[in-house]
């Protein structure tokens, strides 16, 4: 599927500029309803049931047969990964989404059909949405006695940030990974999109500095028609 096909016959529904990014919603022939952030398609309604990116982010670090007290998503304001976890993993007691941009959450809830599930799970307390910087939220988790209590982390962020001025740079530091390591339960893991395979060595270096010294990260390639190609998803685990 080419980008030309994806962007053909778009019907405009919504556009706004948040404090962080340009947010747009369209209906498309190819992907159904799409959410576009800073001109990059994030989700398409026709891809929800077989979204390889979501499955790759989730399937390695969360197992259907294992109970989880708490799974944390950093980023993921489009709520697709959260919805997938809530639907397909009934043994998860709580999912927290920490998203810096509240408008992404609100636009998604308004324009996409899975908003009903989101509202139901919020009302039951099984889903929590925190509007905050991922690094700040991690600091609070760490300081509030959650060490060793998080079953899995899913870091659904923007491109791997080597530029220290990038908004997402704080999610790719050895300090950030050391907090993940401390907060994970024994045997727990995290997944993160790392942009391209050229970033693998730097990602490995930073995660090792953060405490993940026992094995090389496992990389799985996710087919992403929204992006027009494949994306590498890295996974790291704390020893059992």
């Amino acid at each position: 599927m080419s980008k030309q096909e994806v962007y053909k016959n778009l019907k405009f529904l919504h556009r706004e500029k948040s404090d962080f990014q340009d947010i747009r919603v369209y209906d498309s022939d190819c992907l159904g309803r799409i959410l576009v952030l800073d001109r990059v398609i994030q989700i398409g309604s026709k891809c929800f049931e077989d979204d390889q990116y979501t499955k790759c982010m989730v399937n390695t670090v969360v197992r259907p047969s294992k109970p989880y007290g708490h799974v944390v998503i950093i980023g993921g304001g489009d709520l697709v990964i959260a919805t997938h976890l809530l639907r397909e993993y009934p043994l998860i007691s709580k999912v927290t989404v920490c998203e810096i941009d509240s408008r992404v959450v609100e636009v998604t809830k308004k324009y996409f059909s899975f908003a009903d599930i989101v509202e139901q799970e919020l009302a039951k307390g099984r889903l929590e949405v925190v509007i905050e910087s991922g690094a700040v939220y991690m600091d609070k988790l760490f300081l509030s006695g959650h060490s060793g209590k998080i079953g899995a982390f899913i870091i659904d962020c923007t491109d791997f940030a080597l530029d220290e001025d990038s908004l997402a740079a704080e999610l790719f530091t050895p300090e950030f990974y050391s907090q993940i390591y401390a907060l994970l339960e024994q045997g727990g893991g995290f997944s993160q999109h790392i942009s391209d395979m050229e970033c693998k060595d730097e990602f490995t270096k930073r995660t090792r500095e953060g405490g993940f010294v026992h094995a090389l990260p496992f990389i799985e390639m996710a087919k992403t028609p929204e992006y027009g190609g494949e994306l590498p998803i890295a996974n790291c685990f704390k020893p059992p």
Side-chain angles (χ1 to χ4, degrees):
M1 184 186 301
S2 68
K3 287 190 176 182
Q4 288 79 8
E5 289 176 298
V6 171
Y7 283 99
K8 187 177 180 181
N9 295 330
L10 294 183
K11 178 183 177 183
F12 171 81
L13 295 176
H14 177 77
R15 180 185 180 186
E16 66 179 79
K17 184 77 172 178
S18 75
D19 291 339
F20 301 96
Q21 57 203 323
D22 181 80
I23 304 171
R24 306 186 190 194
V25 181
Y26 299 93
D27 279 336
S28 72
D29 289 346
C30 198
L31 295 176
R33 184 156 294 178
I34 58 175
L35 174 70
V36 183
L37 303 180
D38 285 341
R39 300 182 181 275
V40 178
I41 297 174
Q42 304 298 310
I43 57 175
S45 62
K46 289 185 179 180
C47 303
F48 287 166
E49 298 304 321
D50 191 33
D51 181 6
Q52 295 302 306
Y53 175 82
T54 295
K55 290 180 178 179
C56 285
M57 290 289 280
V58 169
N59 289 357
T60 302
V61 296
V62 183
R63 299 193 297 275
S65 60
K66 179 183 174 181
Y68 292 86
H70 196 181
V71 174
V72 173
I73 304 167
I74 303 294
D78 57 41
L79 302 173
V80 172
I81 292 176
T83 301
H84 178 72
L85 287 171
L86 295 164
R87 279 177 171 172
E88 305 297 330
Y89 295 81
L91 299 182
I92 297 176
S93 298
K94 181 180 179 181
V95 174
T96 295
V97 175
C98 176
E99 165 63 44
I100 197 170
D101 192 344
S102 64
R103 292 306 306 157
V104 174
V105 175
E106 295 307 316
V107 168
T108 299
K109 286 163 64 176
K110 180 176 180 179
Y111 286 96
F112 288 85
S113 60
F114 58 83
D116 288 346
I117 296 171
V118 169
E119 295 293 356
Q120 290 167 14
E121 298 294 353
L122 283 168
K124 290 190 293 185
R126 192 167 171 237
L127 174 63
E128 174 188 39
V129 176
V130 176
I131 305 301
E132 197 160 49
S133 153
V136 170
Y137 175 71
M138 292 290 281
D139 284 341
K140 291 180 178 179
L141 269 185
F142 185 73
L143 293 172
S144 61
H146 284 76
S147 293
K149 296 181 180 179
I150 307 300
F153 284 95
I154 297 168
I155 316 301
D156 184 19
C157 51
T158 56
D159 292 343
F160 189 80
L162 300 177
D163 179 1
E164 292 184 0
D165 293 329
S166 167
L167 185 65
E170 62 187 12
L171 305 181
F172 297 95
T173 66
E175 294 76 19
F176 182 72
Y177 296 129
S178 70
Q179 288 187 326
I180 290 177
Y181 190 88
L183 288 163
L184 280 172
E185 63 186 29
Q186 299 302 123
F190 83 93
S191 62
Q192 187 171 32
H193 155 222
I194 61 169
S195 303
D196 61 59
M197 289 301 292
E198 292 182 2
C199 298
K200 179 182 177 181
D201 288 347
E202 183 62 26
F203 175 81
T204 301
K205 174 177 177 291
R206 296 184 186 191
T207 52
R208 283 181 173 273
E209 290 174 1
F212 291 89
V213 298
H214 304 280
L216 288 173
F218 170 73
I219 307 293
E220 185 174 3
M221 301 303 294
K223 294 181 180 179
T224 53
E226 301 95 327
Y227 282 76
E230 293 186 327
L231 293 175
I233 309 301
N235 304 269
C236 287
F237 292 87
K238 189 173 181 176

